[in-house]
Amino acid sequence: MTVVGRGVAGALLVVLLLLSASVQSQERGVTPTEVVIGTSQPLTGPASFWGIPVTGGMDAYVKLANEGGGINGRKIRLVALDDGYQPTRAVANVRELVESTGVFAIVGLLGSANAFAVRDYMVEKKVIWINPLADASMWTGFKGKQYLFVTYVSYTDEGRLLTEYAAKTLGMTTFAVFYQNDLFGKKGLTGVKRGADATKTRIVATVPYEVTDRDYSGHAVKLRESKADAVVLYSTPTAAAQVVKEMAKIGYRPRLISTSALADPAMFALAGEAWNDVILAAYFPLPGTDSKVDEVVATIAKGNPALARAPINAVAGVSFVEPFLEGLRRTGPTLTRDKFVAAMETIKNWDGDVVRGVTFGPDRRHGVTRIYIVKTEGGQFKRLTPDIAYPVGF
Amino acid sequence: MDLQERYADDLVLVRSTGGRVALGVLVAALVLLPVGASGYLIYTASVVAAYAVIAVGLSLLVGTAGLISLGHAGFVAIGAYAAGLLAAKLHLFWPAAIVGGGITAAAFGYLVGLPALRLTGPYLTIATLGFGIAVQQVLSNWEQLSGGRNGLFLPKLTLGSWQLTDRHIYYVAMGTLALLVWVAYNLLRSYVGRALVAMRDSDIAAEVMGVNLTTYKTLAFALSAFYAGVGGALLALILGFLEPQLFTLSESIYYFSMIVVGGLGTIPGAVLGAALLTLLPQQLAQTRSWLPIIYGSILIFVMAVDPLGLFGRWMKIRLWFKAWPF
Amino acid sequence: MELLAQYGVVGLATGSLYALVALGIVLLYRTSRVLNFAHGDLATFATFICYTFLTQLRVPFGVAVVATFAAAVVIGAGFYFLILRPARETTLLGRVIITLGFALVLNGVAIQLWGADVRPFPFPLSDARVYHLGGVVISQISLGTTAAALALMAALYGLVQHTRVGLAMRAVSQHLIAAQVLGIPARRIFVLTWGLAAMLGAAAGILLAPTALLDPFMMLDPFLKGFSAAVLGGIDSMPGAVIGGLLLGLLEALFGGYVSVQFKTTLAFGIIIAVLIVRPEGLLGREFKRRV
C-alpha cells in the first residue's frame, strides 16, 4: 500500500468515528418520565469563570426540582456542553443537542456571537429557546420568535435608564463610558447615548477595553482626563475592579454607575474600598437583599460548594432556567412544544424564587422589562428606586 | 518500502490494488455520508473538512518546508472574511468567493513570506505570532470592513435562484478537501516538494545547490496561506456568520496541535489530526474541564516521545506486520 | 506636560513588569535556545501557589514568597530535566511545541485546582495610598512593584556579570560544546537557568497580581507583551530585555493616551513586526549567525 493507502485507512477510521457520533438518538426530549434540556456554555477557556457557575446554578436548581419529585411526574435532565466561547463549537453543540441527544428545549447559551450563529438554525428546527444569554434587544424586530422566551435584560434600555436616573436624580451633567469592546459593552454604550440625549447631558469620553487587557492604568488616565462627573461601567468584574482601583490611585473619584452584570458581591473583595456608593442596576433581587434568593443560594451551594464563591452567577443560572420549569408546570402532563408555548403565554406577573414579575403573551416574548436601581454601601446593596419599566421590545 | 522499477511507479498515487480498493471504499463512504445522516453529522463532517484543509496547508509550511507559523489563524481569518465579503457585498457565487478568499490569503502569505527571508528560527515564530494577533485585532476594530464585534452575516449557498442545503455545503467542503489534498500530494512529489524539503533540511546548502530561497520561501507561505484561506472560506460558508472571536491565538495553537498529533509533515497525518481534534472534544462530554490538560499532555508526549505522531504510529504498525516474523 | 508625565510614569511602571517577564524569556533563550511559551502559565501557577500560602496557610508574606520561589524552581527545573532534556525531537519547532503543551497542562491544572474565577491578591503594600510627585500621582503599590522589579533585575545582572556561576552561564550560552570541553557542568547550568527563569516568572506574577487580580488567564496578555519586549530589545540580550520592556510600556501608555485606546494592543504586535522587518536582532541583540 502507498502513502495514499495508509491515509485512506486512517480516514476510514475517521468516518467510523463520525458515524458513531450519530448513533445515539432519542425522541425529541420527552418521555413519560423525563424531559431533556440542553445548554451550551463556555466551560473551558477565559469565559469559563462565567460559564461554570451559571451552569452549576442551573444544574443545582434542576436537581432541586427533581428531588421534589420532578414536574408532572417527569424528571428534568440537563445536558451541558462546552463550547469554549467559540461559535463553531456552539453551533456543533446545538446541533448535537437537537439532533443527536434530542432535547426538548435549549436554555441559555452564552454570547451574542454564539447566539447569532445558532439563531437561524433554532428557528428552522423550531427549538424552544429559553434565555439566550445575550443583550435582549437583539431580538427586537427578529422574525421567528414563536419558540423564544427571554427574561434576560436589555443592556440598551438598562444603559438608558441608568443614565437618565443619574442625570435627573443625581444631577450628573457629564458622563464617561468605560466599556468592553464587544456587543455587550457597545449595546450598553448605545443605551447611555440615548439616555444622555434624552436628558440633554453629554458623553465626554468613551474608553473601550479588550477582555484580555490586564493593565488599566492608561484607561484610568484617559477617564480622568475627561473630568466627567460620572463614569458608566459596562464591563466584567475583573476589568471594572481594576479600572476603579486605578482611577482611585490617580486621585479621580467620579460617581460610578454600573450595569447589572457588576451587581456581584465579589466586587467588594475585588475593588475594595473604591466600590462604595456605586449606583447599579438590577433586574432580580440580589443575594443578601432577599430571603428567598438567599435560601436558594444556600441550598444549591450545599451540593456544590464552589457556587458559594460566585453567588451572583449561580443565582443568574437559576433565573435562566426558572421560567422554563414554570412553563413545564403549567403545561400539565401532556407535553408538546405548542402546548408548552401556550402555557408560557399564560404567565402574567409571576414571581419565581429568583426572577420576579415575569409576563409573557402571544405578542410578548420579553418577560422582564424592568430594572431597579441600588447602590453599594458598606459591602451591602441598598435599594434606591422602585421598579422602572422600559418599553417591551418584542 | 516497495520495489519500484520505473519512474512512473514513483509518480503514481495509489500503488497496490489493496490501496485502490481502500480508496474506493473511502470515497464511496464520504459521498454517501449525507444520505440518511443527521444534520449534526453533516455539519461536523463539513467542519472537519474545512479544518483538514487548513491543517494540510499548515503541514506543507511547517512539516515540509520547515518554516514555523504560529499565526495561521490570521490567514484563515483573511480568507474567511474575504470570501464572506465577496459573497455578501458583491454577491459572488460562493465557490468563486472561496477561491477569492484563498487568493487574498495567499497574497498576504506572500507579504508575510518576504520578511521571512531574513528571519529564522525564533524570529520567524514570533513574527508570525504577531501577525496572527494583529489580524485579529484589526478585524475586531475595523468595523466598516468586518462588522467588528457585531459579526458579519453571510448569505446562504445559492446556485442561480436555487437555495442549496447543508448537504450541498458538505459536498463543496469535501470536494474542496479532496481536490486540495490531491494537489498537495502532487506538489510534494514534484520538484517543488523536493525544493521545500531541501530548504527545510538546510536552507543555505539548498541555495548553494540552486534552490532559489526567495522563490520557495514566499511560495511556501503563499501556498500554505492559500489553503488556510480556502479553509477559512469554507468555515464561513458552513457557519453563515463570522466574528473575530473565531480566529484567536488559541485557534492558531489548535491548528498546530492538529498537525503535531497526526504526524508532522505528512498529509494523511494532517487530515487525521484535524478530524481527531475536532471530533474527540465533542465526544468526550464528561471530561470537558480536563481537555486542556489532555491536549497539552498529548503535545508534550508526541514531541518528546514519538515525533512521528499518530500517523507515524500507524506506519510503524504496518511496517511491523510487513516485516513479520523478524 | 503634567499629563505626559503621568502617562510616562504609568508606562514605566507597567514597562518594568514587562521587562521582568522579558528577562525570564531572554534568559532561557540565551542559554538553552528555547522559546519558552509556558513562561506565562508557569508564572500564573506560581502566583496561585503563593496565594494558597497567603490565604489558606496564612504564612507571612516574606515566607510565602520564598516558598513560592522554591516551588517555581522545582517546577521549572523539573520540566527541563524530566521532559525537555530527554525529548526526542530537538529542533526549535519541537521544543516550542513541548513548551506550548506544558503551558496548556499548567493552565488546565490551575483551573482544576483553583477554579476559573477571579480573586483579589493580598499584598503588603496598599493601593489606596498615593504619593504626589509634582503633579504626577503614583500609588504605593506601583512604586513598590517597580522598585522590586528593578531590584530583581539588578540582582540578576550582578549574578550574571559578577559571579562564577554567571560566568559559567555566559560561557554555556556562547558556545555549549566549548564550555563543556572546558569542564563546565552544562547540565547543572541548564537546570539552574530554568529554575532561575521560573523564579523570575513567579516574581513577575506576584508583582502583577495585586493590580491585575488573580485568575488562570492573568498572564496571557503580559506574557505576550513581555515577548514583544524581548524581541524589541533583542532576544539574546538581557539589558535589551529590560530596555525593551520599559520602552514598550512607555510607548503603549503614550499611544493609548494620545492616539487610540482601542488599538493599544495592536501596537505591541505592530512593534514586533516592524522590529523584525527592520532589525530582527532587536535594539541590543547580536546578529543571529548560523553555520551550514
Side-chain angles (χ1 to χ4, degrees):
Chain A
M1 261 221 285
T2 68
V3 175
V4 177
R6 293 177 222 133
V8 161
L12 269 172
L13 169 66
V14 165
V15 174
L16 279 167
L17 251 176
L18 275 176
L19 284 172
S20 78
S22 70
V23 162
Q24 336 123 346
S25 50
Q26 295 173 13
E27 261 219 34
R28 255 285 281 288
V30 181
T31 68
T33 50
E34 198 183 56
V35 178
V36 189
I37 57 175
T39 184
S40 174
Q41 304 280 357
L43 299 174
T44 58
S48 56
F49 76 92
W50 210 96
I52 296 179
V54 164
T55 314
M58 281 168 59
D59 196 53
Y61 197 69
V62 161
K63 277 207 179 70
L64 212 61
N66 286 342
E67 274 162 29
I71 296 182
N72 293 321
R74 292 192 182 87
K75 297 267 164 98
I76 303 136
R77 182 158 66 95
L78 172 69
V79 180
L81 295 180
D82 169 40
D83 58 29
Y85 209 58
Q86 275 291 332
T88 28
R89 288 169 64 188
V91 173
N93 287 345
V94 165
R95 285 188 183 237
E96 182 178 342
L97 287 169
V98 170
E99 298 175 26
S100 197
T101 325
V103 293
F104 179 66
I106 302 251
V107 181
L109 194 115
L110 175 65
S112 315
N114 295 346
F116 278 128
V118 306
R119 211 168 59 164
D120 293 330
Y121 176 78
M122 296 287 270
V123 171
E124 188 196 316
K125 294 284 179 179
K126 300 198 195 325
V127 183
I128 296 182
W129 200 1
I130 314 281
N131 276 321
L133 305 172
D135 168 58
S137 58
M138 76 185 257
W139 305 108
T140 313
F142 178 66
K143 306 257 185 319
K145 297 194 288 276
Q146 175 65 4
Y147 297 100
L148 176 77
F149 294 92
V150 178
T151 56
Y152 200 70
V153 73
S154 153
Y155 291 123
T156 330
D157 292 289
E158 179 194 73
R160 179 176 60 85
L161 290 177
L162 276 170
T163 316
E164 287 178 4
Y165 177 80
K168 292 193 217 157
T169 317
L170 300 174
M172 302 282 129
T173 52
T174 49
F175 294 97
V177 186
F178 176 71
Y179 66 101
Q180 187 162 302
N181 196 14
D182 69 3
L183 270 181
F184 156 52
K186 288 188 182 172
K187 291 285 179 171
L189 177 62
T190 312
V192 174
K193 282 195 184 132
R194 290 199 191 146
D197 289 339
T199 54
K200 308 268 195 301
T201 50
R202 289 184 308 133
I203 298 182
V204 289
T206 56
V207 180
Y209 76 92
E210 295 289 336
V211 192
T212 46
D213 276 348
R214 250 10 219 245
D215 167 49
Y216 293 93
S217 38
H219 300 84
V221 176
K222 242 219 146 112
L223 287 168
R224 183 183 74 165
E225 255 188 286
S226 73
K227 303 206 191 355
D229 294 333
V231 169
V232 184
L233 300 164
Y234 261 90
S235 71
T236 55
T238 327
Q242 285 179 63
V243 86
V244 163
K245 290 208 300 199
E246 292 289 340
M247 290 197 295
K249 271 191 228 178
I250 57 177
Y252 177 51
R253 288 179 189 274
R255 209 63 205 275
L256 295 171
I257 318 265
S258 140
T259 168
S260 52
L262 293 173
D264 188 342
M267 284 298 290
F268 295 117
L270 291 175
E273 17 177 61
W275 199 246
N276 202 28
D277 216 32
V278 179
I279 306 290
L280 293 148
Y283 67 100
F284 55 76
L286 300 169
T289 61
D290 182 285
S291 53
K292 248 202 197 166
V293 168
D294 291 335
E295 210 187 294
V296 168
V297 173
T299 325
I300 60 180
K302 252 193 287 179
N304 188 349
L307 292 179
R309 279 207 312 266
I312 192 81
N313 291 337
V315 165
V318 172
S319 80
F320 302 143
V321 78
E322 261 199 306
F324 174 74
L325 296 180
E326 179 62 15
L328 275 187
R329 281 185 208 110
R330 292 189 183 209
T331 317
T334 352
L335 186 57
T336 69
R337 257 177 291 183
D338 294 313
K339 285 200 76 195
F340 179 81
V341 167
M344 288 291 277
E345 289 175 354
T346 66
I347 295 180
K348 304 276 178 235
N349 228 342
W350 168 73
D351 284 346
D353 284 335
V354 174
V355 83
R356 305 286 156 86
V358 183
T359 306
F360 291 120
D363 299 315
R364 182 167 169 174
R365 289 300 192 253
H366 196 179
V368 176
T369 51
R370 314 178 310 275
I371 59 160
Y372 64 94
I373 313 240
V374 297
K375 84 166 183 186
T376 58
E377 201 175 73
Q380 306 278 349
F381 296 111
K382 191 168 134 193
R383 185 163 180 153
L384 293 179
T385 68
D387 291 341
I388 311 173
Y390 53 85
V392 179
F394 57 96
Chain B
M1 266 194 274
D2 309 298
L3 180 63
Q4 283 149 32
E5 289 162 343
R6 298 184 303 248
Y7 189 47
D9 282 343
D10 193 37
L11 285 180
V12 103
L13 276 180
V14 192
R15 283 188 202 128
S16 62
T17 16
R20 267 186 276 256
V21 169
L23 187 61
V25 170
L26 175 69
V27 169
L30 288 177
V31 166
L32 293 175
L33 189 89
V35 177
S38 68
Y40 165 59
L41 192 56
I42 297 179
Y43 169 80
T44 314
S46 312
V47 169
V48 166
Y51 279 133
V53 169
I54 299 173
V56 169
L58 189 59
S59 177
L60 283 175
L61 185 68
V62 178
T64 314
L67 300 165
I68 306 181
S69 167
L70 278 185
H72 230 61
F75 295 123
V76 178
I78 291 174
Y81 272 94
L85 288 170
L86 283 171
K89 301 278 164 72
L90 297 182
H91 304 289
L92 214 57
F93 182 44
W94 257 109
I98 294 178
V99 173
I103 294 179
T104 319
F108 276 90
Y110 177 77
L111 290 175
V112 171
L114 285 174
L117 295 169
R118 303 183 55 191
L119 300 173
T120 45
Y123 300 114
L124 187 59
T125 315
I126 300 168
T128 50
L129 181 73
F131 170 74
I133 298 184
V135 168
Q136 198 224 350
Q137 290 283 315
V138 168
L139 285 173
S140 293
N141 290 310
W142 195 354
E143 296 196 6
Q144 287 83 2
L145 181 70
S146 65
R149 301 311 292 267
N150 289 330
L152 193 66
F153 277 100
L154 304 173
K156 303 264 180 232
L157 180 63
T158 52
L159 186 62
S161 52
W162 214 6
Q163 235 215 13
L164 302 178
T165 67
D166 282 349
R167 284 207 184 154
H168 302 104
I169 294 180
Y170 165 81
Y171 284 123
V172 170
M174 275 297 170
T176 315
L177 175 66
L179 179 68
L180 288 179
V181 164
W182 180 74
V183 168
Y185 266 122
N186 279 307
L187 214 61
L188 285 182
R189 280 152 197 270
S190 69
Y191 69 92
V192 172
R194 288 194 284 270
L196 292 178
V197 171
M199 205 168 66
R200 172 189 74 198
D201 289 340
S202 172
D203 53 351
I204 299 183
E207 176 135 53
V208 164
M209 296 218 343
V211 173
N212 185 332
L213 283 189
T214 314
T215 318
Y216 285 102
K217 276 197 179 173
T218 47
L219 179 69
F221 264 102
L223 200 60
S224 175
F226 178 78
Y227 273 71
V230 170
L234 284 174
L235 279 176
L237 174 64
I238 296 168
L239 216 53
F241 172 75
L242 284 179
E243 221 256 2
Q245 186 64 23
L246 286 161
F247 309 110
T248 59
L249 176 62
S250 310
E251 292 297 295
S252 290
I253 297 182
Y254 184 52
Y255 303 144
F256 225 82
S257 321
M258 288 179 198
I259 60 173
V260 167
V261 166
L264 213 51
T266 61
I267 295 177
V271 175
L272 206 61
L276 226 62
L277 287 196
T278 315
L279 295 173
L280 235 42
Q282 291 289 127
Q283 296 300 95
L284 299 175
Q286 299 316 94
T287 54
R288 264 310 136 52
S289 53
W290 288 87
L291 211 51
I293 303 181
I294 296 179
Y295 263 167
S297 315
I298 292 180
L299 283 183
I300 295 179
F301 182 76
V302 168
M303 274 291 126
V305 173
D306 192 358
L308 289 173
L310 275 179
F311 192 63
R313 225 1 78 187
W314 168 247
M315 269 170 41
K316 285 183 189 167
I317 294 175
R318 278 212 59 247
L319 193 59
W320 190 84
F321 273 109
K322 260 209 154 161
W324 193 79
F326 300 106
Chain C
M1 198 51 223
E2 230 174 64
L3 191 59
L4 182 65
Q6 181 69 49
Y7 277 124
V9 164
V10 153
L12 284 175
T14 324
S16 61
L17 290 173
Y18 289 160
L20 201 56
V21 175
L23 262 182
I25 298 173
V26 166
L27 183 65
L28 273 178
Y29 183 71
R30 262 169 65 102
T31 31
S32 345
R33 292 273 176 269
V34 174
L35 279 181
N36 185 12
F37 279 93
H39 194 73
D41 287 290
L42 189 58
T44 315
F45 200 81
T47 316
F48 266 110
I49 293 180
C50 191
Y51 178 81
T52 315
F53 275 124
L54 288 173
T55 53
Q56 293 208 306
L57 302 173
R58 298 189 188 278
V59 299
F61 190 72
V63 176
V65 170
V66 169
T68 308
F69 279 179
V73 167
V74 167
I75 300 176
F79 172 67
Y80 169 72
F81 201 71
L82 297 172
I83 300 177
L84 203 57
R85 202 185 49 86
R88 296 274 214 84
E89 182 64 52
T90 51
T91 59
L92 175 71
L93 178 63
R95 283 176 293 178
V96 164
I97 295 177
I98 294 183
T99 55
L100 274 173
F102 190 48
L104 282 170
V105 170
L106 280 173
N107 186 268
V109 174
I111 295 185
Q112 283 295 109
L113 292 177
W114 290 288
D117 45 313
V118 182
R119 303 136 198 276
F121 189 78
F123 199 76
L125 299 178
S126 149
D127 58 343
R129 286 262 283 290
V130 291
Y131 303 108
H132 293 262
L133 303 156
V136 171
V137 186
I138 186 164
S139 71
Q140 195 185 49
I141 242 187
S142 271
L143 215 52
T145 51
T146 314
L150 291 173
L152 271 168
M153 291 189 245
L156 188 67
Y157 177 75
L159 176 74
V160 170
Q161 293 292 115
H162 297 294
T163 63
R164 288 191 54 149
V165 173
L167 191 60
M169 279 166 59
R170 277 184 289 146
V172 163
S173 60
Q174 218 173 44
H175 199 301
L176 176 62
I177 300 196
Q180 283 175 312
V181 161
L182 287 175
I184 295 177
R187 217 185 300 167
R188 254 179 265 176
I189 297 290
F190 279 134
V191 169
L192 175 72
T193 323
W194 273 83
L196 204 57
M199 226 177 72
L200 283 172
I206 294 177
L207 291 174
L208 263 166
T211 32
L213 297 176
L214 182 61
D215 77 35
F217 296 94
M218 173 182 84
M219 288 294 282
L220 183 62
D221 200 58
F223 168 68
L224 290 173
K225 301 274 174 69
F227 223 84
S228 323
V231 170
L232 178 60
I235 203 162
D236 58 350
S237 155
M238 299 220 275
V242 176
I243 294 186
L246 293 172
L247 202 57
L248 183 67
L250 205 57
L251 285 173
E252 209 186 39
L254 291 174
F255 186 81
Y258 291 107
V259 182
S260 155
V261 176
Q262 256 181 325
F263 284 96
K264 207 165 74 129
T265 319
T266 323
L267 175 80
F269 298 108
I271 290 182
I272 309 187
I273 296 177
V275 168
L276 287 171
I277 292 180
V278 171
R279 196 191 144 91
E281 55 271 13
L283 292 172
L284 297 179
R286 254 161 296 123
E287 223 184 296
F288 187 61
K289 287 186 178 57
R290 272 176 314 137
R291 296 265 182 83
V292 179

